Amino acid sequence: FPTRRSSDLESLLRLRDPKLGNVYPGDFIPVAERIGIIRLLGEYALREVCAFLGTDLPDKLGIRFVAVNLSIIQCTNPDFVEHASAIVKESGVDPSRICFEISETAAAVDYKLLSNTIRELKAIGFLFSMDGYGSGYANMYSIFSMDFDLIKMDRNLLYAAEESEEGRIVLESSARMIHELHRKVVVIGVETR
């Protein structure tokens, strides 16, 4: 647990079926999007995060914010900004304690619509991050055209940096570029010095 410096958390949904066992997000999220229940799952996750942030535990643990993953379907829904704002306002949680997170794949879909959604949510006080940067779907334009606070670099960039000089150059150059754009960087998958 963090004691001296601030930290952040990410909320993750997991599905455990009595017959199937663990069903991973890569399997159930596309189904939820297809059958139209992704908004309900997203609302559930946001309400649970607000309930957690409404306790004294985050402050005791030094938690700055909690990341909440968004589906592209949620982000491009015309009433998403209003709906998310209402949930957070109802809970009494400061919006800056919530960081909405989208995948690089989602960022590649519709720059204009997504950029407007991000801009509106950030104006209310929410934070925004891109997950999986470098996984191959979005181009560098998305890094500066959308007002992300945090960029999470894909673990494959890290693995490539461990295997070759070229990989190390790509990882270090990407991190430097993101920092020069005044964004924070997290490299996913670090397990060794």
Side-chain angles (χ1 to χ4, degrees), residues 104 107 111 130 133 138-148:
E104 185 185 32
Y111 287 121
M130 175 194 281
Y133 175 75
N139 61 39
M140 289 185 203
Y141 180 72
S142 63
I143 294 288
F144 66 86
S145 67
M146 296 183 209
D147 191 14
F148 293 107

Side-chain angles (χ1 to χ4, degrees), residues 3-191:
T3 54
R4 293 200 177 154
R5 62 186 192 92
S6 294
S7 185
D8 52 276
L9 296 176
E10 180 176 0
S11 69
L12 300 171
L13 290 176
R14 296 295 182 255
L15 177 62
R16 289 184 184 90
D17 183 89
K19 293 180 183 173
L20 300 174
N22 291 331
V23 183
Y24 294 98
D27 295 326
F28 75 79
I29 295 294
V31 173
E33 289 174 335
R34 224 177 8 260
I35 65 173
I37 63 167
I38 193 66
R39 288 181 63 195
L40 294 173
L41 287 176
E43 181 177 328
Y44 170 78
L46 183 56
R47 287 188 186 282
E48 289 295 307
V49 166
C50 287
F52 171 72
L53 288 170
T55 69
D56 62 348
L57 194 56
D59 289 334
K60 284 182 181 178
L61 298 175
I63 308 281
R64 294 176 302 173
F65 62 82
V66 177
V68 177
N69 290 289
L70 295 180
S71 158
I72 188 61
I73 291 172
Q74 291 172 275
C75 295
T76 56
N77 189 308
D79 68 348
F80 176 69
V81 172
E82 183 181 325
H83 190 68
S85 299
I87 291 170
V88 172
K89 187 174 185 178
E90 174 187 303
S91 72
V93 169
D94 180 348
S96 70
R97 308 272 326 251
I98 297 172
C99 180
F100 286 121
E101 185 170 294
I102 59 169
S103 68
E104 185 185 32
T105 309
V109 174
D110 186 335
Y111 287 121
K112 187 174 183 180
L113 181 59
L114 191 53
S115 187
N116 287 339
T117 299
I118 292 171
R119 190 182 78 260
E120 289 176 31
L121 287 165
K122 286 185 63 79
I124 296 165
F126 293 98
L127 302 173
F128 246 93
S129 70
M130 175 194 281
D131 188 22
Y133 175 75
S135 57
Y137 294 101
N139 61 39
M140 289 185 203
Y141 180 72
S142 63
I143 294 288
F144 66 86
S145 67
M146 296 183 209
D147 191 14
F148 293 107
D149 298 286
L150 174 71
I151 307 296
K152 290 184 174 181
M153 296 176 73
D154 187 74
R155 73 184 73 238
N156 289 320
L157 290 176
L158 174 69
Y159 299 157
E162 290 180 319
E163 294 175 10
S164 72
E165 178 70 11
E166 291 87 358
R168 185 190 60 75
I169 291 168
V170 169
L171 178 69
E172 290 178 359
S173 298
S174 295
R176 187 172 36 258
M177 173 192 67
I178 294 166
H179 279 133
E180 288 176 3
L181 291 169
H182 307 289
R183 306 308 197 264
K184 290 184 170 64
V185 177
V186 171
V187 180
I188 303 299
V190 176
E191 296 178 9

